[in-house]
Amino acid sequence: MSSEAAPPRNHVRHVVALLAGVAAMASVVWAPVGLVGDLIMLVVGVAALLFAGEAGTRPGPLRALAIAGALLAGLVTVAAGGVFLVALANALS
């Protein structure tokens, strides 16, 4: 028996993290217009960012895919947060 542990298999997690980032980008196009749509974009972006960020910390040959998914989700989160704040300010004024 070897003292070295087998490397973890994180291939699927890395690919799903990239798909989560792409889904966050797609939510910008497919979300309904209005405050609810802006909130949907924000929630999807944050969820994808959390998942992809966690997957990016795991070792593996496809780790760059998880990091790319985190970058996409981060861009969506920042943009959706700004759009949501502006829409909320307009709704409350």
Side-chain angles (χ1 to χ4, degrees):
M1 189 155 82
S2 175
S3 64
E4 294 181 23
R9 307 251 181 223
N10 293 315
H11 301 6
V12 174
R13 185 178 298 262
H14 292 155
V15 172
V16 171
L18 177 64
L19 292 176
V22 171
M25 291 293 270
S27 73
V28 172
V29 176
W30 291 330
V33 176
L35 195 60
V36 174
D38 297 336
L39 183 61
I40 289 171
M41 288 188 300
L42 185 60
V43 169
V44 170
V46 168
L49 181 61
L50 290 175
F51 181 77
E54 188 273 332
T57 62
R58 296 182 180 251
L62 299 178
R63 186 177 186 184
L65 295 180
I67 294 170
L71 288 173
L72 288 174
L75 289 172
V76 169
T77 301
V78 169
V83 169
F84 178 73
L85 286 177
V86 169
L88 186 64
N90 284 336
L92 294 177
S93 63

